[in-house]
PDB file of all heavy atoms in Angstrom:
ATOM      1  N   ALA A   1       5.977 154.015 -72.617  1.00 87.00           N
ATOM      2  CA  ALA A   1       5.282 155.072 -71.886  1.00 87.00           C
ATOM      3  C   ALA A   1       6.228 156.251 -71.594  1.00 87.00           C
ATOM      4  O   ALA A   1       6.369 156.635 -70.477  1.00 87.00           O
ATOM      5  CB  ALA A   1       4.700 154.507 -70.670  1.00 87.00           C
ATOM      6  N   THR A   2       6.768 156.780 -72.653  1.00 85.00           N
ATOM      7  CA  THR A   2       7.473 158.089 -72.410  1.00 85.00           C
ATOM      8  C   THR A   2       6.518 159.206 -72.535  1.00 85.00           C
ATOM      9  O   THR A   2       5.385 159.000 -73.024  1.00 85.00           O
ATOM     10  CB  THR A   2       8.531 158.286 -73.475  1.00 85.00           C
ATOM     11  OG1 THR A   2       7.943 158.433 -74.751  1.00 85.00           O
ATOM     12  CG2 THR A   2       9.537 157.121 -73.616  1.00 85.00           C
ATOM     13  N   PRO A   3       6.772 160.378 -72.099  1.00 86.00           N
ATOM     14  CA  PRO A   3       5.864 161.511 -72.237  1.00 86.00           C
ATOM     15  C   PRO A   3       5.437 161.705 -73.658  1.00 86.00           C
ATOM     16  O   PRO A   3       4.224 161.986 -74.000  1.00 86.00           O
ATOM     17  CB  PRO A   3       6.657 162.707 -71.728  1.00 86.00           C
ATOM     18  CG  PRO A   3       7.562 162.133 -70.690  1.00 86.00           C
ATOM     19  CD  PRO A   3       7.997 160.775 -71.284  1.00 86.00           C
ATOM     20  N   VAL A   4       6.375 161.533 -74.649  1.00 83.00           N
ATOM     21  CA  VAL A   4       6.014 161.663 -76.083  1.00 83.00           C
ATOM     22  C   VAL A   4       5.132 160.610 -76.586  1.00 83.00           C
ATOM     23  O   VAL A   4       4.149 160.906 -77.249  1.00 83.00           O
ATOM     24  CB  VAL A   4       7.342 161.652 -76.925  1.00 83.00           C
ATOM     25  CG1 VAL A   4       7.020 161.644 -78.365  1.00 83.00           C
ATOM     26  CG2 VAL A   4       8.192 162.911 -76.590  1.00 83.00           C
ATOM     27  N   THR A   5       5.346 159.348 -76.199  1.00 85.00           N
ATOM     28  CA  THR A   5       4.491 158.293 -76.681  1.00 85.00           C
ATOM     29  C   THR A   5       3.085 158.359 -76.006  1.00 85.00           C
ATOM     30  O   THR A   5       2.074 158.030 -76.673  1.00 85.00           O
ATOM     31  CB  THR A   5       5.114 156.903 -76.489  1.00 85.00           C
ATOM     32  OG1 THR A   5       5.286 156.637 -75.134  1.00 85.00           O
ATOM     33  CG2 THR A   5       6.429 156.739 -77.294  1.00 85.00           C
ATOM     34  N   LEU A   6       3.059 158.731 -74.783  1.00 90.00           N
ATOM     35  CA  LEU A   6       1.764 158.818 -74.094  1.00 90.00           C
ATOM     36  C   LEU A   6       0.971 159.913 -74.679  1.00 90.00           C
ATOM     37  O   LEU A   6      -0.265 159.758 -74.929  1.00 90.00           O
ATOM     38  CB  LEU A   6       2.020 159.008 -72.591  1.00 90.00           C
ATOM     39  CG  LEU A   6       2.587 157.855 -71.805  1.00 90.00           C
ATOM     40  CD1 LEU A   6       3.032 158.277 -70.505  1.00 90.00           C
ATOM     41  CD2 LEU A   6       1.535 156.776 -71.664  1.00 90.00           C
ATOM     42  N   ARG A   7       1.528 161.043 -74.976  1.00 89.00           N
ATOM     43  CA  ARG A   7       0.778 162.160 -75.572  1.00 89.00           C
ATOM     44  C   ARG A   7       0.261 161.820 -76.925  1.00 89.00           C
ATOM     45  O   ARG A   7      -0.890 162.002 -77.331  1.00 89.00           O
ATOM     46  CB  ARG A   7       1.730 163.397 -75.686  1.00 89.00           C
ATOM     47  CG  ARG A   7       1.151 164.589 -76.438  1.00 89.00           C
ATOM     48  CD  ARG A   7      -0.158 165.196 -75.990  1.00 89.00           C
ATOM     49  NE  ARG A   7      -0.382 165.188 -74.552  1.00 89.00           N
ATOM     50  CZ  ARG A   7      -1.454 164.909 -73.903  1.00 89.00           C
ATOM     51  NH1 ARG A   7      -2.527 164.522 -74.534  1.00 89.00           N
ATOM     52  NH2 ARG A   7      -1.571 164.859 -72.615  1.00 89.00           N
ATOM     53  N   ALA A   8       1.155 161.153 -77.734  1.00 88.00           N
ATOM     54  CA  ALA A   8       0.737 160.775 -79.099  1.00 88.00           C
ATOM     55  C   ALA A   8      -0.383 159.737 -78.991  1.00 88.00           C
ATOM     56  O   ALA A   8      -1.321 159.802 -79.815  1.00 88.00           O
ATOM     57  CB  ALA A   8       1.939 160.191 -79.901  1.00 88.00           C
ATOM     58  N   ALA A   9      -0.260 158.860 -78.012  1.00 90.00           N
ATOM     59  CA  ALA A   9      -1.319 157.764 -77.860  1.00 90.00           C
ATOM     60  C   ALA A   9      -2.683 158.353 -77.567  1.00 90.00           C
ATOM     61  O   ALA A   9      -3.652 158.072 -78.219  1.00 90.00           O
ATOM     62  CB  ALA A   9      -0.862 156.782 -76.721  1.00 90.00           C
ATOM     63  N   VAL A  10      -2.739 159.207 -76.614  1.00 93.00           N
ATOM     64  CA  VAL A  10      -4.007 159.875 -76.246  1.00 93.00           C
ATOM     65  C   VAL A  10      -4.551 160.672 -77.436  1.00 93.00           C
ATOM     66  O   VAL A  10      -5.757 160.577 -77.760  1.00 93.00           O
ATOM     67  CB  VAL A  10      -3.871 160.763 -74.958  1.00 93.00           C
ATOM     68  CG1 VAL A  10      -5.067 161.597 -74.719  1.00 93.00           C
ATOM     69  CG2 VAL A  10      -3.566 159.845 -73.732  1.00 93.00           C
ATOM     70  N   ASP A  11      -3.685 161.407 -78.067  1.00 92.00           N
ATOM     71  CA  ASP A  11      -4.157 162.277 -79.183  1.00 92.00           C
ATOM     72  C   ASP A  11      -4.665 161.414 -80.369  1.00 92.00           C
ATOM     73  O   ASP A  11      -5.452 161.867 -81.244  1.00 92.00           O
ATOM     74  CB  ASP A  11      -3.000 163.168 -79.692  1.00 92.00           C
ATOM     75  CG  ASP A  11      -2.724 164.302 -78.788  1.00 92.00           C
ATOM     76  OD1 ASP A  11      -3.550 164.514 -77.815  1.00 92.00           O
ATOM     77  OD2 ASP A  11      -1.725 164.943 -78.841  1.00 92.00           O
ATOM     78  N   ALA A  12      -4.150 160.167 -80.500  1.00 91.00           N
ATOM     79  CA  ALA A  12      -4.530 159.280 -81.647  1.00 91.00           C
ATOM     80  C   ALA A  12      -5.809 158.558 -81.355  1.00 91.00           C
ATOM     81  O   ALA A  12      -6.387 157.908 -82.287  1.00 91.00           O
ATOM     82  CB  ALA A  12      -3.379 158.260 -81.867  1.00 91.00           C
ATOM     83  N   LEU A  13      -6.352 158.514 -80.168  1.00 94.00           N
ATOM     84  CA  LEU A  13      -7.511 157.748 -79.856  1.00 94.00           C
ATOM     85  C   LEU A  13      -8.805 158.265 -80.445  1.00 94.00           C
ATOM     86  O   LEU A  13      -9.080 159.495 -80.469  1.00 94.00           O
ATOM     87  CB  LEU A  13      -7.701 157.685 -78.272  1.00 94.00           C
ATOM     88  CG  LEU A  13      -6.667 156.881 -77.551  1.00 94.00           C
ATOM     89  CD1 LEU A  13      -6.907 156.966 -76.034  1.00 94.00           C
ATOM     90  CD2 LEU A  13      -6.674 155.439 -77.927  1.00 94.00           C
ATOM     91  N   ALA A  14      -9.580 157.400 -80.920  1.00 94.00           N
ATOM     92  CA  ALA A  14     -10.933 157.666 -81.463  1.00 94.00           C
ATOM     93  C   ALA A  14     -11.878 157.820 -80.217  1.00 94.00           C
ATOM     94  O   ALA A  14     -11.535 157.355 -79.168  1.00 94.00           O
ATOM     95  CB  ALA A  14     -11.436 156.568 -82.353  1.00 94.00           C
ATOM     96  N   PRO A  15     -13.080 158.299 -80.466  1.00 96.00           N
ATOM     97  CA  PRO A  15     -14.057 158.340 -79.320  1.00 96.00           C
ATOM     98  C   PRO A  15     -14.226 156.913 -78.770  1.00 96.00           C
ATOM     99  O   PRO A  15     -14.307 155.918 -79.541  1.00 96.00           O
ATOM    100  CB  PRO A  15     -15.335 158.828 -80.053  1.00 96.00           C
ATOM    101  CG  PRO A  15     -14.813 159.663 -81.190  1.00 96.00           C
ATOM    102  CD  PRO A  15     -13.604 158.984 -81.769  1.00 96.00           C
ATOM    103  N   GLY A  16     -14.227 156.741 -77.511  1.00 96.00           N
ATOM    104  CA  GLY A  16     -14.400 155.561 -76.899  1.00 96.00           C
ATOM    105  C   GLY A  16     -13.026 154.668 -76.875  1.00 96.00           C
ATOM    106  O   GLY A  16     -13.008 153.511 -76.457  1.00 96.00           O
ATOM    107  N   GLY A  17     -11.979 155.370 -77.302  1.00 94.00           N
ATOM    108  CA  GLY A  17     -10.681 154.645 -77.383  1.00 94.00           C
ATOM    109  C   GLY A  17     -10.025 154.279 -76.074  1.00 94.00           C
ATOM    110  O   GLY A  17     -10.364 154.915 -75.042  1.00 94.00           O
ATOM    111  N   ARG A  18      -9.058 153.374 -76.137  1.00 94.00           N
ATOM    112  CA  ARG A  18      -8.448 152.916 -74.876  1.00 94.00           C
ATOM    113  C   ARG A  18      -6.955 152.963 -75.075  1.00 94.00           C
ATOM    114  O   ARG A  18      -6.402 152.530 -76.114  1.00 94.00           O
ATOM    115  CB  ARG A  18      -8.845 151.457 -74.542  1.00 94.00           C
ATOM    116  CG  ARG A  18     -10.343 151.416 -74.183  1.00 94.00           C
ATOM    117  CD  ARG A  18     -10.817 149.962 -74.187  1.00 94.00           C
ATOM    118  NE  ARG A  18     -10.730 149.579 -75.615  1.00 94.00           N
ATOM    119  CZ  ARG A  18     -11.081 148.416 -76.076  1.00 94.00           C
ATOM    120  NH1 ARG A  18     -11.628 147.567 -75.281  1.00 94.00           N
ATOM    121  NH2 ARG A  18     -10.935 148.115 -77.301  1.00 94.00           N
ATOM    122  N   LEU A  19      -6.219 153.397 -74.017  1.00 94.00           N
ATOM    123  CA  LEU A  19      -4.756 153.340 -74.029  1.00 94.00           C
ATOM    124  C   LEU A  19      -4.365 152.356 -72.982  1.00 94.00           C
ATOM    125  O   LEU A  19      -4.761 152.417 -71.786  1.00 94.00           O
ATOM    126  CB  LEU A  19      -4.231 154.708 -73.657  1.00 94.00           C
ATOM    127  CG  LEU A  19      -2.709 154.821 -73.215  1.00 94.00           C
ATOM    128  CD1 LEU A  19      -1.850 154.268 -74.291  1.00 94.00           C
ATOM    129  CD2 LEU A  19      -2.381 156.218 -72.792  1.00 94.00           C
ATOM    130  N   ALA A  20      -3.669 151.358 -73.444  1.00 91.00           N
ATOM    131  CA  ALA A  20      -3.147 150.280 -72.424  1.00 91.00           C
ATOM    132  C   ALA A  20      -1.618 150.484 -72.281  1.00 91.00           C
ATOM    133  O   ALA A  20      -0.890 150.533 -73.308  1.00 91.00           O
ATOM    134  CB  ALA A  20      -3.395 148.880 -72.985  1.00 91.00           C
ATOM    135  N   ILE A  21      -1.195 150.730 -71.041  1.00 90.00           N
ATOM    136  CA  ILE A  21       0.255 151.008 -70.760  1.00 90.00           C
ATOM    137  C   ILE A  21       0.800 149.764 -70.117  1.00 90.00           C
ATOM    138  O   ILE A  21       0.334 149.257 -69.121  1.00 90.00           O
ATOM    139  CB  ILE A  21       0.448 152.148 -69.777  1.00 90.00           C
ATOM    140  CG1 ILE A  21      -0.238 153.389 -70.344  1.00 90.00           C
ATOM    141  CG2 ILE A  21       1.866 152.337 -69.467  1.00 90.00           C
ATOM    142  CD1 ILE A  21      -0.275 154.575 -69.414  1.00 90.00           C
ATOM    143  N   LEU A  22       1.807 149.085 -70.844  1.00 83.00           N
ATOM    144  CA  LEU A  22       2.304 147.829 -70.432  1.00 83.00           C
ATOM    145  C   LEU A  22       3.736 147.871 -69.987  1.00 83.00           C
ATOM    146  O   LEU A  22       4.327 146.953 -69.526  1.00 83.00           O
ATOM    147  CB  LEU A  22       2.178 146.705 -71.460  1.00 83.00           C
ATOM    148  CG  LEU A  22       0.730 146.433 -71.909  1.00 83.00           C
ATOM    149  CD1 LEU A  22       0.674 145.395 -72.952  1.00 83.00           C
ATOM    150  CD2 LEU A  22      -0.168 146.073 -70.792  1.00 83.00           C
ATOM    151  N   GLY A  23       4.415 149.076 -70.155  1.00 79.00           N
ATOM    152  CA  GLY A  23       5.761 149.241 -69.736  1.00 79.00           C
ATOM    153  C   GLY A  23       5.927 150.751 -69.388  1.00 79.00           C
ATOM    154  O   GLY A  23       5.178 151.590 -69.930  1.00 79.00           O
ATOM    155  N   VAL A  24       6.956 151.024 -68.641  1.00 80.00           N
ATOM    156  CA  VAL A  24       7.084 152.444 -68.222  1.00 80.00           C
ATOM    157  C   VAL A  24       8.544 152.911 -68.319  1.00 80.00           C
ATOM    158  O   VAL A  24       9.392 152.162 -67.835  1.00 80.00           O
ATOM    159  CB  VAL A  24       6.585 152.622 -66.798  1.00 80.00           C
ATOM    160  CG1 VAL A  24       6.760 154.035 -66.275  1.00 80.00           C
ATOM    161  CG2 VAL A  24       5.128 152.181 -66.651  1.00 80.00           C
ATOM    162  N   HIS A  25       8.748 154.053 -68.909  1.00 74.00           N
ATOM    163  CA  HIS A  25      10.023 154.694 -68.863  1.00 74.00           C
ATOM    164  C   HIS A  25      10.252 155.299 -67.499  1.00 74.00           C
ATOM    165  O   HIS A  25       9.329 155.775 -66.957  1.00 74.00           O
ATOM    166  CB  HIS A  25      10.111 155.699 -70.050  1.00 74.00           C
ATOM    167  CG  HIS A  25      11.398 156.389 -70.180  1.00 74.00           C
ATOM    168  ND1 HIS A  25      11.779 157.519 -69.511  1.00 74.00           N
ATOM    169  CD2 HIS A  25      12.494 156.030 -71.008  1.00 74.00           C
ATOM    170  CE1 HIS A  25      12.992 157.858 -69.823  1.00 74.00           C
ATOM    171  NE2 HIS A  25      13.443 156.998 -70.737  1.00 74.00           N
ATOM    172  N   ARG A  26      11.444 155.308 -66.996  1.00 74.00           N
ATOM    173  CA  ARG A  26      11.760 155.809 -65.680  1.00 74.00           C
ATOM    174  C   ARG A  26      11.337 157.286 -65.498  1.00 74.00           C
ATOM    175  O   ARG A  26      11.076 157.663 -64.354  1.00 74.00           O
ATOM    176  CB  ARG A  26      13.187 155.540 -65.286  1.00 74.00           C
ATOM    177  CG  ARG A  26      14.117 156.417 -65.992  1.00 74.00           C
ATOM    178  CD  ARG A  26      15.559 156.160 -65.560  1.00 74.00           C
ATOM    179  NE  ARG A  26      16.483 156.910 -66.335  1.00 74.00           N
ATOM    180  CZ  ARG A  26      16.979 156.499 -67.505  1.00 74.00           C
ATOM    181  NH1 ARG A  26      16.612 155.384 -67.949  1.00 74.00           N
ATOM    182  NH2 ARG A  26      17.833 157.321 -68.143  1.00 74.00           N
ATOM    183  N   ASP A  27      11.344 158.039 -66.497  1.00 75.00           N
ATOM    184  CA  ASP A  27      11.022 159.470 -66.394  1.00 75.00           C
ATOM    185  C   ASP A  27       9.582 159.815 -66.829  1.00 75.00           C
ATOM    186  O   ASP A  27       9.282 160.978 -67.137  1.00 75.00           O
ATOM    187  CB  ASP A  27      11.988 160.366 -67.164  1.00 75.00           C
ATOM    188  CG  ASP A  27      13.374 160.201 -66.592  1.00 75.00           C
ATOM    189  OD1 ASP A  27      13.548 160.055 -65.361  1.00 75.00           O
ATOM    190  OD2 ASP A  27      14.346 160.246 -67.373  1.00 75.00           O
ATOM    191  N   SER A  28       8.751 158.852 -66.895  1.00 80.00           N
ATOM    192  CA  SER A  28       7.339 159.092 -67.481  1.00 80.00           C
ATOM    193  C   SER A  28       6.534 159.864 -66.560  1.00 80.00           C
ATOM    194  O   SER A  28       6.273 159.500 -65.420  1.00 80.00           O
ATOM    195  CB  SER A  28       6.683 157.669 -67.770  1.00 80.00           C
ATOM    196  OG  SER A  28       7.374 157.009 -68.756  1.00 80.00           O
ATOM    197  N   ARG A  29       6.068 160.932 -67.122  1.00 85.00           N
ATOM    198  CA  ARG A  29       4.978 161.770 -66.492  1.00 85.00           C
ATOM    199  C   ARG A  29       4.238 162.383 -67.656  1.00 85.00           C
ATOM    200  O   ARG A  29       4.858 162.823 -68.624  1.00 85.00           O
ATOM    201  CB  ARG A  29       5.603 162.870 -65.612  1.00 85.00           C
ATOM    202  CG  ARG A  29       6.451 162.387 -64.494  1.00 85.00           C
ATOM    203  CD  ARG A  29       5.554 161.808 -63.345  1.00 85.00           C
ATOM    204  NE  ARG A  29       6.371 161.454 -62.237  1.00 85.00           N
ATOM    205  CZ  ARG A  29       6.969 160.279 -62.087  1.00 85.00           C
ATOM    206  NH1 ARG A  29       6.792 159.338 -63.006  1.00 85.00           N
ATOM    207  NH2 ARG A  29       7.656 159.881 -61.025  1.00 85.00           N
ATOM    208  N   PHE A  30       2.945 162.466 -67.509  1.00 87.00           N
ATOM    209  CA  PHE A  30       2.197 163.267 -68.553  1.00 87.00           C
ATOM    210  C   PHE A  30       0.907 163.619 -67.946  1.00 87.00           C
ATOM    211  O   PHE A  30       0.410 163.071 -66.959  1.00 87.00           O
ATOM    212  CB  PHE A  30       1.978 162.457 -69.825  1.00 87.00           C
ATOM    213  CG  PHE A  30       0.836 161.479 -69.921  1.00 87.00           C
ATOM    214  CD1 PHE A  30      -0.108 161.720 -70.782  1.00 87.00           C
ATOM    215  CD2 PHE A  30       0.795 160.327 -69.085  1.00 87.00           C
ATOM    216  CE1 PHE A  30      -1.252 160.839 -70.866  1.00 87.00           C
ATOM    217  CE2 PHE A  30      -0.270 159.464 -69.166  1.00 87.00           C
ATOM    218  CZ  PHE A  30      -1.320 159.733 -70.038  1.00 87.00           C
ATOM    219  N   SER A  31       0.203 164.622 -68.490  1.00 90.00           N
ATOM    220  CA  SER A  31      -1.078 165.036 -67.954  1.00 90.00           C
ATOM    221  C   SER A  31      -2.064 164.901 -69.121  1.00 90.00           C
ATOM    222  O   SER A  31      -1.656 164.934 -70.281  1.00 90.00           O
ATOM    223  CB  SER A  31      -0.977 166.487 -67.524  1.00 90.00           C
ATOM    224  OG  SER A  31      -0.619 167.315 -68.555  1.00 90.00           O
ATOM    225  N   VAL A  32      -3.273 164.692 -68.746  1.00 91.00           N
ATOM    226  CA  VAL A  32      -4.316 164.571 -69.758  1.00 91.00           C
ATOM    227  C   VAL A  32      -5.491 165.451 -69.350  1.00 91.00           C
ATOM    228  O   VAL A  32      -5.754 165.703 -68.205  1.00 91.00           O
ATOM    229  CB  VAL A  32      -4.709 163.050 -69.849  1.00 91.00           C
ATOM    230  CG1 VAL A  32      -5.316 162.554 -68.526  1.00 91.00           C
ATOM    231  CG2 VAL A  32      -5.661 162.883 -71.035  1.00 91.00           C
ATOM    232  N   ASP A  33      -6.158 165.996 -70.363  1.00 92.00           N
ATOM    233  CA  ASP A  33      -7.272 166.893 -70.133  1.00 92.00           C
ATOM    234  C   ASP A  33      -8.497 166.073 -69.744  1.00 92.00           C
ATOM    235  O   ASP A  33      -8.966 165.251 -70.503  1.00 92.00           O
ATOM    236  CB  ASP A  33      -7.548 167.643 -71.480  1.00 92.00           C
ATOM    237  CG  ASP A  33      -8.697 168.553 -71.403  1.00 92.00           C
ATOM    238  OD1 ASP A  33      -9.363 168.686 -70.334  1.00 92.00           O
ATOM    239  OD2 ASP A  33      -9.089 169.149 -72.426  1.00 92.00           O
ATOM    240  N   PRO A  34      -9.027 166.283 -68.530  1.00 94.00           N
ATOM    241  CA  PRO A  34     -10.106 165.519 -68.108  1.00 94.00           C
ATOM    242  C   PRO A  34     -11.345 165.726 -68.912  1.00 94.00           C
ATOM    243  O   PRO A  34     -12.137 164.779 -69.146  1.00 94.00           O
ATOM    244  CB  PRO A  34     -10.357 165.981 -66.640  1.00 94.00           C
ATOM    245  CG  PRO A  34      -9.376 167.072 -66.375  1.00 94.00           C
ATOM    246  CD  PRO A  34      -8.481 167.229 -67.464  1.00 94.00           C
ATOM    247  N   GLN A  35     -11.521 166.933 -69.437  1.00 95.00           N
ATOM    248  CA  GLN A  35     -12.629 167.199 -70.362  1.00 95.00           C
ATOM    249  C   GLN A  35     -12.562 166.258 -71.618  1.00 95.00           C
ATOM    250  O   GLN A  35     -13.624 165.729 -72.068  1.00 95.00           O
ATOM    251  CB  GLN A  35     -12.735 168.705 -70.820  1.00 95.00           C
ATOM    252  CG  GLN A  35     -13.775 169.026 -71.760  1.00 95.00           C
ATOM    253  CD  GLN A  35     -15.222 168.851 -71.132  1.00 95.00           C
ATOM    254  OE1 GLN A  35     -15.326 169.113 -69.902  1.00 95.00           O
ATOM    255  NE2 GLN A  35     -16.086 168.379 -71.852  1.00 95.00           N
ATOM    256  N   ARG A  36     -11.406 166.076 -72.172  1.00 91.00           N
ATOM    257  CA  ARG A  36     -11.206 165.185 -73.311  1.00 91.00           C
ATOM    258  C   ARG A  36     -11.531 163.794 -72.959  1.00 91.00           C
ATOM    259  O   ARG A  36     -12.167 163.103 -73.726  1.00 91.00           O
ATOM    260  CB  ARG A  36      -9.762 165.351 -73.874  1.00 91.00           C
ATOM    261  CG  ARG A  36      -9.459 164.339 -75.007  1.00 91.00           C
ATOM    262  CD  ARG A  36      -8.915 164.949 -76.245  1.00 91.00           C
ATOM    263  NE  ARG A  36      -8.468 164.213 -77.332  1.00 91.00           N
ATOM    264  CZ  ARG A  36      -8.580 162.911 -77.566  1.00 91.00           C
ATOM    265  NH1 ARG A  36      -9.101 162.065 -76.760  1.00 91.00           N
ATOM    266  NH2 ARG A  36      -8.148 162.412 -78.716  1.00 91.00           N
ATOM    267  N   MET A  37     -11.113 163.421 -71.725  1.00 94.00           N
ATOM    268  CA  MET A  37     -11.291 162.012 -71.274  1.00 94.00           C
ATOM    269  C   MET A  37     -12.806 161.761 -71.125  1.00 94.00           C
ATOM    270  O   MET A  37     -13.327 160.715 -71.701  1.00 94.00           O
ATOM    271  CB  MET A  37     -10.687 161.738 -69.944  1.00 94.00           C
ATOM    272  CG  MET A  37      -9.147 161.843 -69.942  1.00 94.00           C
ATOM    273  SD  MET A  37      -8.449 160.572 -70.958  1.00 94.00           S
ATOM    274  CE  MET A  37      -8.972 159.080 -70.048  1.00 94.00           C
ATOM    275  N   VAL A  38     -13.528 162.643 -70.604  1.00 96.00           N
ATOM    276  CA  VAL A  38     -14.984 162.527 -70.401  1.00 96.00           C
ATOM    277  C   VAL A  38     -15.752 162.673 -71.674  1.00 96.00           C
ATOM    278  O   VAL A  38     -16.590 161.726 -72.035  1.00 96.00           O
ATOM    279  CB  VAL A  38     -15.534 163.550 -69.366  1.00 96.00           C
ATOM    280  CG1 VAL A  38     -17.060 163.503 -69.255  1.00 96.00           C
ATOM    281  CG2 VAL A  38     -14.963 163.184 -67.997  1.00 96.00           C
ATOM    282  N   SER A  39     -15.564 163.662 -72.443  1.00 95.00           N
ATOM    283  CA  SER A  39     -16.320 163.925 -73.714  1.00 95.00           C
ATOM    284  C   SER A  39     -15.967 162.865 -74.735  1.00 95.00           C
ATOM    285  O   SER A  39     -16.828 162.457 -75.484  1.00 95.00           O
ATOM    286  CB  SER A  39     -16.050 165.320 -74.174  1.00 95.00           C
ATOM    287  OG  SER A  39     -14.722 165.414 -74.604  1.00 95.00           O
ATOM    288  N   GLY A  40     -14.792 162.403 -74.736  1.00 94.00           N
ATOM    289  CA  GLY A  40     -14.317 161.391 -75.721  1.00 94.00           C
ATOM    290  C   GLY A  40     -14.635 159.918 -75.200  1.00 94.00           C
ATOM    291  O   GLY A  40     -14.321 158.911 -75.911  1.00 94.00           O
ATOM    292  N   GLU A  41     -15.092 159.786 -73.904  1.00 96.00           N
ATOM    293  CA  GLU A  41     -15.226 158.513 -73.296  1.00 96.00           C
ATOM    294  C   GLU A  41     -13.911 157.593 -73.429  1.00 96.00           C
ATOM    295  O   GLU A  41     -14.052 156.437 -73.757  1.00 96.00           O
ATOM    296  CB  GLU A  41     -16.420 157.789 -73.809  1.00 96.00           C
ATOM    297  CG  GLU A  41     -17.737 158.534 -73.529  1.00 96.00           C
ATOM    298  CD  GLU A  41     -19.003 157.814 -74.028  1.00 96.00           C
ATOM    299  OE1 GLU A  41     -18.943 157.102 -74.988  1.00 96.00           O
ATOM    300  OE2 GLU A  41     -19.984 158.068 -73.266  1.00 96.00           O
ATOM    301  N   LEU A  42     -12.775 158.199 -73.134  1.00 96.00           N
ATOM    302  CA  LEU A  42     -11.520 157.559 -73.277  1.00 96.00           C
ATOM    303  C   LEU A  42     -11.191 156.782 -71.998  1.00 96.00           C
ATOM    304  O   LEU A  42     -11.601 157.174 -70.911  1.00 96.00           O
ATOM    305  CB  LEU A  42     -10.384 158.558 -73.625  1.00 96.00           C
ATOM    306  CG  LEU A  42     -10.699 159.405 -74.881  1.00 96.00           C
ATOM    307  CD1 LEU A  42      -9.470 160.388 -75.019  1.00 96.00           C
ATOM    308  CD2 LEU A  42     -10.858 158.556 -76.088  1.00 96.00           C
ATOM    309  N   SER A  43     -10.401 155.742 -72.118  1.00 95.00           N
ATOM    310  CA  SER A  43      -9.947 154.956 -70.986  1.00 95.00           C
ATOM    311  C   SER A  43      -8.473 154.771 -71.055  1.00 95.00           C
ATOM    312  O   SER A  43      -7.842 154.601 -72.097  1.00 95.00           O
ATOM    313  CB  SER A  43     -10.540 153.511 -70.989  1.00 95.00           C
ATOM    314  OG  SER A  43     -12.012 153.593 -70.978  1.00 95.00           O
ATOM    315  N   ILE A  44      -7.855 154.875 -69.884  1.00 95.00           N
ATOM    316  CA  ILE A  44      -6.418 154.615 -69.793  1.00 95.00           C
ATOM    317  C   ILE A  44      -6.199 153.490 -68.662  1.00 95.00           C
ATOM    318  O   ILE A  44      -6.801 153.635 -67.648  1.00 95.00           O
ATOM    319  CB  ILE A  44      -5.569 155.845 -69.295  1.00 95.00           C
ATOM    320  CG1 ILE A  44      -5.665 156.904 -70.379  1.00 95.00           C
ATOM    321  CG2 ILE A  44      -4.073 155.456 -69.089  1.00 95.00           C
ATOM    322  CD1 ILE A  44      -5.028 158.258 -69.985  1.00 95.00           C
ATOM    323  N   LEU A  45      -5.586 152.466 -69.068  1.00 91.00           N
ATOM    324  CA  LEU A  45      -5.339 151.376 -68.101  1.00 91.00           C
ATOM    325  C   LEU A  45      -3.925 150.865 -68.141  1.00 91.00           C
ATOM    326  O   LEU A  45      -3.250 151.076 -69.117  1.00 91.00           O
ATOM    327  CB  LEU A  45      -6.373 150.174 -68.403  1.00 91.00           C
ATOM    328  CG  LEU A  45      -6.279 149.558 -69.716  1.00 91.00           C
ATOM    329  CD1 LEU A  45      -5.620 148.242 -69.608  1.00 91.00           C
ATOM    330  CD2 LEU A  45      -7.699 149.376 -70.247  1.00 91.00           C
ATOM    331  N   GLY A  46      -3.463 150.364 -67.056  1.00 88.00           N
ATOM    332  CA  GLY A  46      -2.123 149.863 -66.928  1.00 88.00           C
ATOM    333  C   GLY A  46      -2.076 148.477 -66.425  1.00 88.00           C
ATOM    334  O   GLY A  46      -2.957 148.041 -65.808  1.00 88.00           O
ATOM    335  N   SER A  47      -1.060 147.763 -66.878  1.00 82.00           N
ATOM    336  CA  SER A  47      -0.884 146.367 -66.363  1.00 82.00           C
ATOM    337  C   SER A  47       0.630 146.125 -66.141  1.00 82.00           C
ATOM    338  O   SER A  47       1.376 146.357 -67.053  1.00 82.00           O
ATOM    339  CB  SER A  47      -1.548 145.372 -67.368  1.00 82.00           C
ATOM    340  OG  SER A  47      -1.338 144.075 -66.892  1.00 82.00           O
TER     341      SER A  47
END
């Protein structure tokens, strides 16, 4: 979950895709376009 991997992950998702975050880099921060989340029906979850 670095900013680079998170951005690539969201960009790689198909419609209805899901991003599961299972580990975190200490400097991890990223933003996501809410319009893309809603229109693409994307999900981000962490564990």
Side-chain angles (χ1 to χ4, degrees):
T2 67
V4 171
T5 62
L6 291 166
R7 171 59 35 224
V10 170
D11 289 346
L13 291 174
R18 294 165 296 186
L19 166 59
I21 302 170
L22 301 181
V24 180
H25 184 271
R26 70 179 175 275
D27 297 325
S28 290
R29 300 285 183 272
F30 86 115
S31 62
V32 62
D33 177 3
Q35 178 64 36
R36 174 129 176 5
M37 296 295 298
V38 172
S39 65
E41 297 182 329
L42 304 179
S43 300
I44 300 175
L45 59 104
S47 179

